[in-house]
Amino acid sequence: RLPDVQLYWQPDGELSERPSSVAFDQYRSVTGIHIVFPLSLLDQVGLSFQQAKDRRGVDQSLGGVDVQYTIHRLTLQGELTYSHLNGAVKGLARQSEWGAYAAASYAIDERWSADAWYESFADRNSASPAHDLLLGIAYRPLPAMVIKAEYLQNVGGPPVNPTGFFTSWSILF
C-alpha cells in the first residue's frame, strides 16, 4: 500500500485561539508534513516534520516518529519528537524540546480493556522534564459508548497533568 501524506499550513493564529492559561505556546505560520507508512490494516509507522513560529518570535523545527503495532489483543503505540528552537527570547530554560510516550492497551474481552501509558516531556520553559504514568480500565456497554476509570501519577519533574483518579465517558456518533 502507498503511504498516506498529509501537508498542512496555518498562515496566522488559530481560528478560535485558546487562552494562554490553556495553551502555553501559541503558534503562527505553521507548515508541516506527516507521512504514514501502513504495515497492515491497523499497524503503521509515521514520520513528521514541522516549522512554526510562536507568539514570542521563537522559530521551531520539529521532527517526530510515531508507531502503532498490534499483537493479538495487545495494541502498542508510541511517539518521539524533538524540536530545535531558534530566536533571541529571554527566559527559556533550554533551546530544544523533546517528548516521548508509550501506550499499551489490552482487550480483555469485547467490552473490557486495560490501558497503561507513560509520557515524558522536556518543555522549553522548564529545566527538568515532566514524567506521567497512567493506568486505567475501559468498559464498552454499547458499541458506541466507552466508560473509563484511570489513575494518573506524576513521577518526576514539573507536573503537566494533575495527579489523581479520573473517570470519563464518551459516546461516538
Side-chain angles (χ1 to χ4, degrees):
R1 298 185 333 160
L2 294 175
D4 176 41
V5 178
Q6 298 174 2
L7 299 171
Y8 52 93
W9 173 54
Q10 177 186 318
D12 197 14
E14 298 179 26
L15 291 176
S16 178
E17 198 161 287
R18 296 169 286 175
S20 59
S21 63
V22 175
F24 303 114
D25 297 306
Q26 296 173 341
Y27 296 98
R28 313 269 189 271
S29 305
V30 179
T31 57
I33 185 170
H34 185 231
I35 304 170
V36 176
F37 301 93
L39 303 175
S40 67
L41 182 62
L42 299 175
D43 303 332
Q44 63 187 33
V45 174
L47 301 172
S48 298
F49 181 75
Q50 175 181 291
Q51 287 283 116
K53 182 180 288 259
D54 74 14
R55 62 182 163 84
R56 296 181 292 177
V58 175
D59 290 313
Q60 177 176 345
S61 299
L62 178 140
V65 61
D66 56 274
V67 64
Q68 177 171 312
Y69 190 70
T70 305
I71 307 166
H72 304 289
R73 294 180 174 202
L74 178 67
T75 300
L76 304 171
Q77 294 179 312
E79 183 176 22
L80 301 169
T81 62
Y82 178 81
S83 297
H84 180 71
L85 308 173
N86 289 317
V89 176
K90 295 184 188 222
L92 295 182
R94 60 180 74 233
Q95 288 299 117
S96 65
E97 292 180 323
W98 58 263
Y101 88 88
S105 180
Y106 182 77
I108 299 167
D109 60 27
E110 291 195 19
R111 293 184 182 246
W112 290 93
S113 64
D115 304 305
W117 174 75
Y118 174 79
E119 174 185 47
S120 185
F121 178 62
D123 183 65
R124 66 183 75 185
N125 299 311
S126 180
S128 62
H131 305 277
D132 290 333
L133 177 65
L134 179 138
L135 298 172
I137 193 153
Y139 173 64
R140 186 180 302 269
L142 301 169
M145 180 187 286
V146 177
I147 300 168
K148 289 185 175 184
E150 302 171 326
Y151 181 77
L152 182 106
Q153 176 69 51
N154 304 116
V155 291
V160 174
N161 300 305
T163 290
F165 181 75
F166 301 91
T167 59
S168 64
W169 66 277
S170 62
I171 297 177
L172 305 173
F173 55 92

